[in-house]
Amino acid sequence: MATPSASSSPSSRAVIARPAPRPNTAFRQLRGPLSPGEFAAAVRRAARDIGEQVSCDARYIGRVESGEIRCPNYAYERVFRHMFPDRSLADMGFAPREKVRGRAARTRGPAASGAVPPPRTGPETTTHEESDVLRRAFMTGGPAALAAGSLGLGFPRSPRRAGESEAAAVEEAVRRIRVLDDRHGADGLYRRAAQPLRAAYELLDAGSQRQSTADRLHAGAGELAISVGWLAHDSGRFADARSHYGEALATARVAGDAALEAHAFCNTAFLARDAGRPREAVRAAQAAARAARPLKSPRLMSLLALREAGGWAGLGDRRGCEEALLRAHSLFARGSSDQDPEWMSFYGEAELEGLEAQCWSALGQWRRAADHARRAAALQDPHFARNTALFTAELAGNLARVGEYEEAAAAGLRVLDLDQVQSSRIHGILDTAAGLLRPHRGSPPVGVFLERHAVPV
């Protein structure tokens, strides 16, 4: 009879379910020579980098290392994965989340720390209390309010069910992010966009009465995850981008949304190329093409062929690259159609030229790359300031490699003139071009560019 009595008491259940703490030596090793307070400060800085909110202090680090915290809540998990991208939670000494459920785990979750969980597409693992915290975090002050004001997410407070107005708000947030990114690049947007993404997935979790609304919410949340992933990608946060793209892909699979799946694979291919995984880029581009075939959009298939070409170029496979480029041009020539996805507004002749330039650059064909990059920059719509800066920066690097130093410097100055664009990726490309031009700073045009660029001597 003792067992029923113990099980009827919440405090008894917590004691029975919780094993004796075991020191987390793996996490202690990650801290290295830093004091608990210094390491906590590093955690807070990492959280700010990815738009998370955690109130980490030395006491929290001590609780982790003592084994009192067996698994971090979702916000801390994202921060730790950002800090140690090559390690799993198990590598950090944490127990699987499914083994740490129950009252004790909930009271140490996001509601206790002031953090909010990341978006989820799998089984429900949070409490109603955590959902309320997430909703309040989105609707009230601080970074969430700034994001809502900037991105136009005007959700009603605490909806019991998501409706058409909420679905429209998510779709509008996606559009606003894309417009701001086209004009300004990702660096100033990534942190602000993370909060609306969480709110969108919270609406998805709330459910809706109409299937058509649920479908819109799945598509909108997935597209928002891709947009936030792209902001991470363009600002050099590759691990975060990979996570967001994977999240979008999972949402697409759950909803059976071929268009969203094709978009997620398209961006995954682009990221894999930039991250130095060209074979993965080829596979992801081919997977995107398989998903996209029923959509009957030649322009989409053209872009996916370019993504595949970029992977082949990264592998040094010129034949594979040229075959994919030929397909891309042939499909592009069929023109636009009503089936083209809304997110492809950036894909015109300028983008086609620019992506081909990147392929020739990866193959070491600098002159050919410069010719295509020059056309890309000249053809670009002024609205797409970020891409204008990107292709012009690549032009500068290609010209510097073929000895056209003064023209390269002129291209670099045009990029600097686009000072409204803040993109770590573009800054890195321009830094490379400046490094190539430094030995030729005796040329007045080169000297002017280097002075404005402020390359350390």
Side-chain angles (χ1 to χ4, degrees):
M1 299 297 293
T3 302
S5 175
S7 64
S8 65
S9 166
S11 60
S12 298
R13 284 198 304 270
V15 170
I16 291 172
R18 186 180 180 188
R22 182 176 299 173
N24 187 339
T25 56
F27 195 87
R28 172 63 187 88
Q29 290 176 351
L30 292 175
R31 174 159 65 88
L34 298 179
S35 70
E38 291 170 335
F39 189 72
V43 172
R44 294 194 299 272
R45 286 194 298 272
R48 289 194 295 271
D49 286 344
I50 61 172
E52 283 290 358
Q53 302 176 45
V54 298
S55 53
C56 187
D57 56 15
R59 181 173 175 272
Y60 178 88
I61 299 302
R63 291 172 62 201
V64 172
E65 293 180 359
S66 70
E68 182 182 353
I69 295 177
R70 298 169 59 205
C71 186
N73 68 35
Y74 290 100
Y76 276 104
E77 177 181 345
R78 282 178 63 82
V79 176
F80 293 152
R81 287 184 182 278
H82 174 66
M83 295 175 71
F84 309 108
D86 296 327
R87 296 177 185 269
S88 65
L89 283 181
D91 295 334
M92 299 179 206
F94 291 114
R97 192 174 303 283
E98 60 269 20
K99 293 185 179 179
V100 195
R101 289 179 176 174
R103 178 181 173 88
R106 287 198 297 270
T107 57
R108 289 179 177 83
S113 68
V116 293
R120 305 170 305 286
T121 56
E124 180 64 44
T125 57
T126 60
T127 65
H128 294 297
E129 293 168 332
E130 288 174 339
S131 297
D132 290 342
V133 168
L134 189 151
R135 198 174 287 114
R136 288 196 301 273
F138 177 77
M139 294 305 303
T140 57
L146 177 61
S150 299
L151 301 177
L153 279 174
F155 297 158
R157 293 176 181 270
S158 304
R160 293 182 179 179
R161 287 288 186 271
E164 295 295 317
S165 61
E166 287 78 25
V170 174
E171 291 163 352
E172 180 60 21
V174 174
R175 295 187 186 102
R176 286 181 180 244
I177 286 175
R178 288 173 182 159
V179 168
L180 291 169
D181 175 53
D182 288 339
R183 294 174 179 170
H184 304 291
D187 286 3
L189 294 173
Y190 177 58
R191 294 180 186 177
R192 286 186 287 163
Q195 292 288 350
L197 177 60
R198 293 190 190 89
Y201 272 90
E202 179 65 14
L203 288 173
L204 195 60
D205 287 343
S208 58
Q209 292 182 339
R210 295 182 178 180
Q211 185 61 44
S212 61
T213 303
D215 291 343
R216 286 180 65 187
L217 281 170
H218 273 94
E223 289 292 343
L224 194 53
I226 291 173
S227 293
V228 176
W230 165 248
L231 297 178
H233 181 171
D234 195 45
S235 55
R237 298 173 171 92
F238 287 179
D240 292 344
R242 188 179 180 89
S243 174
H244 288 305
Y245 292 160
E247 186 171 65
L249 181 58
T251 304
R253 293 282 176 80
V254 167
D257 189 330
L260 180 59
E261 181 174 345
H263 192 185
F265 271 128
C266 175
N267 278 44
T268 298
F270 194 11
L271 175 66
R273 188 206 70 172
D274 284 358
R277 298 190 299 270
R279 196 168 297 281
E280 180 185 329
V282 171
R283 292 198 301 267
Q286 291 171 343
R290 288 193 295 272
R293 284 191 190 108
L295 306 178
K296 301 189 182 306
S297 168
R299 284 286 167 93
L300 175 57
M301 296 300 286
S302 172
L303 176 61
L304 298 178
L306 283 168
R307 295 287 187 243
E308 183 180 341
W312 290 122
L315 288 167
D317 187 335
R318 180 165 178 166
R319 180 178 177 180
C321 178
E322 289 180 332
E323 290 176 352
L325 287 173
L326 184 62
R327 289 202 313 276
H329 280 276
S330 176
L331 289 161
F332 186 88
R334 297 184 190 179
S336 58
S337 71
D338 292 339
Q339 285 70 45
D340 296 340
E342 181 181 346
W343 58 266
M344 287 189 62
S345 61
F346 71 94
Y347 185 55
E349 189 177 356
E351 187 77 10
L352 175 67
E353 292 285 347
L355 293 180
E356 181 166 355
Q358 292 171 1
C359 290
W360 293 118
S361 179
L363 290 168
Q365 300 293 310
W366 312 117
R367 176 69 68 183
R368 199 164 182 177
D371 291 342
H372 285 282
R374 187 183 291 105
R375 285 197 289 271
L379 291 168
Q380 191 61 264
D381 186 320
H383 165 79
F384 297 103
R386 192 272 317 285
N387 281 0
T388 299
L390 170 66
F391 297 138
T392 308
E394 291 177 338
L395 172 62
N398 292 325
L399 289 170
R401 287 183 170 91
V402 297
E404 302 290 345
Y405 305 122
E406 293 188 359
E407 188 181 354
L413 287 169
R414 291 197 295 275
V415 177
L416 295 176
D417 288 339
L418 294 167
D419 55 3
Q420 78 271 27
V421 175
Q422 296 299 318
S423 164
S424 295
R425 186 165 64 113
I426 295 172
H427 294 328
I429 294 169
L430 198 60
D431 288 346
T432 299
L436 293 168
L437 290 172
R438 283 183 63 190
H440 310 282
R441 56 183 174 269
S443 165
V446 174
V448 170
F449 164 66
L450 292 177
E451 183 177 354
R452 279 193 60 189
H453 183 263
V455 176
V457 178

